[in-house]
Amino acid sequence: MTTEMHRPRRALSANAVGIALVAPLALFLLATFFIPLGGMLFLSVDDRELGRVMPGTVAALADWDGAGLPGPAAFEAAGRDLVEARKAKIAGTAARRLGYEASGWRTTIQSTARALPRDIAAVTDWKSTLIAADGAWGNPDIWQALARARGPLTDVYLSSALGLQGGQDSMLYVKVLLRTFVIALSATAICILLALPAAYLLASVGPITANLLMMALLLPLWTSVLVRSTSWLVILQKNGIFNQVLISLNIIDTPLELVYNRIGVLVALTHILLPYAILPLYASMKALPRSQMQAARSLGAGPLNSFFRIYLPQIVPGISAGGLLVFILALGYYITPLLLGGQGDQMLPFYIAYNTLQALNWGLAAALASILLIATVLLYALYVRLVGVERVGV
């Protein structure tokens, strides 16, 4: 009886120990992965910039129907907000946010903030004062832009990323997203084709030779991606080693265009990502007994028949794991296409970095990153549903 009473206590104690052991890892993932990821997703719909700089204007436009010009209270609120923003030196924040709606509104906000009088107590007609500072204030469009930007949430960033706002370059990011997946799939296919014979060689040779080959395989992983990408730029350029060798062997007469195009990007990505395709394949092949192929041949099956009916089905998990790993890694490359590709070869990470560091449009950058993340997760879910989760891992 006493032993039976102690069993639940021991079980609870074991569970508490397990939770205590897992808790540091859970907290680490929460702090370094889930919270930043959630912040990025929220940033793609967050629209509180204008409300922080022009709170009076946002409040005055809350009940405006959007027809014609708003009432005098909205003009007065906008004028007072811009004067206060000029004093606090934050008018540029409101100008940047309005610039996402139309580039001209950015100039309007900045020029108006500079032109408004310092003594606002002497202003009796804010409508005339704002229009005198910049005639755009007499246009309903800028007020409609202010109303759309009043927050706290917005779909303007996601709409821009998905090409739903219209305009000449409205489908730019959709085309870039498709290009990103095409490049990633191309690099994955090349890596798998090259990884099959390489992994088979590793699995077939003796342990000493396999260790030497494994060192040669892993050595590039210890070198910076920037260094490897720059090395390919030196090798593949017009006066590079590769073209010089081909010319000296009389194979070509003029240098080949191998950089600043898709060829250079795929060559460098394949070199960088190939080990990630070989290692899962090698693990699958190493686990297979050689006696299976010998038995198949002894029963009359030829080399090709044995490979496709016996060997290949059993290494599909390795192909799946290697292909999935290479594809997901290829989606996030930025520096390699930047160095070796042309304007038509830049992937979505390039535009995420551009909007983050140069255009300072963090909402659009977050929207692009969120779309890339969601598209990757959906493709992964589709892949698992079609192939089976048991074939994803080795």
Side-chain angles (χ1 to χ4, degrees):
M1 184 68 177
T2 306
T3 304
E4 293 178 357
M5 292 176 62
H6 283 295
R7 284 178 181 173
R9 294 181 180 178
R10 291 176 181 175
L12 290 174
S13 177
N15 290 336
V17 171
I19 293 173
L21 292 175
V22 174
L25 176 60
L27 291 174
F28 176 78
L29 289 176
L30 181 65
T32 62
F33 181 73
F34 289 107
I35 292 178
L37 190 63
M40 179 197 71
L41 293 173
F42 178 73
L43 188 61
S44 65
V45 295
D46 182 29
D47 196 17
R48 294 174 293 175
E49 283 185 321
L50 187 68
R52 296 190 187 102
V53 180
M54 304 178 67
T57 307
V58 169
L61 294 176
D63 299 326
W64 181 49
D65 60 3
L69 293 173
F75 280 92
E76 181 177 355
R80 291 182 178 275
D81 285 340
L82 288 176
V83 171
E84 293 299 324
R86 181 183 62 194
K87 293 178 181 178
K89 298 181 179 180
I90 56 173
T93 302
R96 183 177 67 244
R97 174 59 185 90
L98 263 293
Y100 303 156
E101 300 285 339
S103 58
W105 302 143
R106 186 187 189 109
T107 305
T108 297
I109 295 294
Q110 291 176 330
S111 62
T112 303
R114 290 192 298 265
L116 287 175
R118 296 185 178 274
D119 184 13
I120 60 175
V123 179
T124 57
D125 187 354
W126 280 102
K127 182 176 181 180
S128 300
T129 302
L130 286 176
I131 294 176
D134 194 304
W137 291 102
N139 188 338
D141 291 345
I142 190 172
W143 293 101
Q144 293 169 359
L146 286 168
R148 288 193 298 269
R150 67 178 184 268
L153 301 177
T154 183
D155 63 349
V156 64
Y157 305 121
L158 291 172
S159 298
S160 298
L162 294 173
L164 301 178
Q165 287 194 328
Q168 184 177 0
D169 298 328
S170 61
M171 298 299 291
L172 170 64
Y173 295 119
V174 176
K175 295 177 182 177
V176 172
L177 180 63
L178 294 176
R179 181 198 306 159
T180 300
F181 280 105
V182 168
I183 293 176
L185 284 172
S186 302
T188 301
I190 297 172
C191 284
I192 293 298
L193 290 176
L194 295 178
L196 282 169
Y200 184 79
L201 176 63
L202 276 171
S204 302
V205 298
I208 297 178
T209 306
N211 289 335
L212 293 175
L213 293 175
M214 187 64 70
M215 289 293 294
L217 174 66
L218 296 177
L219 189 61
L221 294 178
W222 303 335
T223 307
S224 167
V225 173
L226 177 61
V227 173
R228 282 180 280 173
S229 300
T230 307
S231 300
W232 279 112
L233 181 62
V234 174
I235 294 171
L236 297 178
Q237 63 182 329
K238 281 189 174 182
N239 296 323
I241 299 172
F242 187 76
N243 273 314
Q244 292 299 321
V245 169
L246 293 181
I247 292 175
S248 64
L249 295 175
N250 294 322
I251 297 176
I252 59 174
D253 297 325
T254 58
L256 300 175
E257 296 284 348
L258 300 176
V259 290
Y260 309 122
N261 52 33
R262 190 66 55 86
I263 295 174
V265 173
L266 290 177
V267 168
L269 281 179
T270 300
H271 171 240
I272 293 169
L273 298 174
L274 186 58
Y276 299 101
I278 293 176
L279 292 176
L281 269 172
Y282 169 69
S284 289
M285 293 179 178
K286 194 66 177 176
L288 296 180
R290 298 184 180 182
S291 58
Q292 290 185 355
M293 297 295 289
Q294 296 172 354
R297 293 183 181 180
S298 67
L299 293 174
L304 290 178
N305 197 16
S306 301
F307 176 79
F308 284 104
R309 298 188 62 181
I310 304 297
Y311 200 78
L312 183 61
Q314 298 187 78
I315 64 171
V316 167
I319 296 175
S320 300
L324 191 62
L325 184 60
V326 170
F327 176 73
I328 292 177
L329 289 174
L331 288 176
Y333 268 82
Y334 162 69
I335 193 66
T336 302
L338 180 64
L339 289 177
L340 296 165
Q343 184 61 37
D345 304 301
Q346 300 307 314
M347 300 167 67
L348 199 59
F350 169 82
Y351 292 91
I352 294 173
Y354 170 78
N355 283 288
T356 302
L357 302 175
Q358 298 185 41
L360 300 180
N361 192 343
W362 298 336
L364 180 56
L368 292 173
S370 300
I371 289 172
L372 181 60
L373 172 65
I374 293 171
T376 304
V377 171
L378 290 177
L379 285 177
Y380 173 76
L382 178 63
Y383 174 82
V384 170
R385 185 171 182 83
L386 295 177
V387 177
V389 69
E390 69 279 357
R391 289 183 176 268
V392 176
V394 178

